[in-house]
Each structure stands twice: as C-alpha cells, then as structure tokens.
Amino acid sequence: MAKKNKPAAPPSAASQDKPATLKDLLNPDVVSKLKAQADQMKAEAEIQREEARKQAEAARKAEQKRLDNNFEYLLNNSGMDWKKYK
C-alpha cells in the first residue's frame, strides 16, 4: 500500500484567514483616544486609593492620639508590673 500524501496548506493563507479584531476595524485615532482614556482612569483610581490610604492613616493616628490621652488605657497596656511598686 502506498502512503497518500496530503497537500500541505501554506502557512501564509492561515494568517490571512484570521477574523478581523475590533482594533483592526476601529479608526487608529479612536483607538488612541480609548487608550488615553483608560490610562487617565487608571491614574484617577490610583489617586483615589492613595487618598483613601492617607485618610485611613490619619484616622489611625487620631485614634492613637486619643488613646494616648486616656490614662486607663495606658495603665492597662503598660508593660510594667505596677504591683511591684506598691
């Protein structure tokens, strides 16, 4: 029995048959505007995260300052054994 040789399809034909993507269909000017808008939105999100972090840190510092002025809290959380000094 003889082997049947299948005709090989040229690889360049496969790359030409790819479906068109949205990027290919859109005007390059529109694509660049969309990328710029996406970058701007990412920058705004980063700024919001940074502001939220700063607010949380300020709230934490304010709470710590309030607790530092509370004598009962300081006494309960001190590392010294005050019973030794009676």
Side-chain angles (χ1 to χ4, degrees), residues 40-79:
Q40 181 184 6
M41 290 175 71
K42 286 180 185 178
E44 289 174 359
E46 181 65 30
I47 290 170
Q48 288 177 351
R49 281 194 301 269
E50 184 66 24
E51 287 178 1
R53 185 190 64 79
K54 285 181 181 179
Q55 287 178 353
E57 184 177 340
R60 182 186 55 79
K61 284 183 179 180
E63 179 67 16
Q64 186 62 42
K65 186 175 181 180
R66 185 187 67 79
L67 289 174
D68 286 345
N69 290 330
N70 185 350
F71 184 73
E72 180 183 3
Y73 172 80
L74 292 174
L75 186 62
N76 290 336
N77 291 321
S78 69

Side-chain angles (χ1 to χ4, degrees), residues 9-26:
S12 62
S15 65
Q16 292 175 354
D17 292 339
K18 289 183 181 177
T21 61
L22 183 60
K23 184 178 178 181
D24 297 334
L25 296 175
L26 287 176

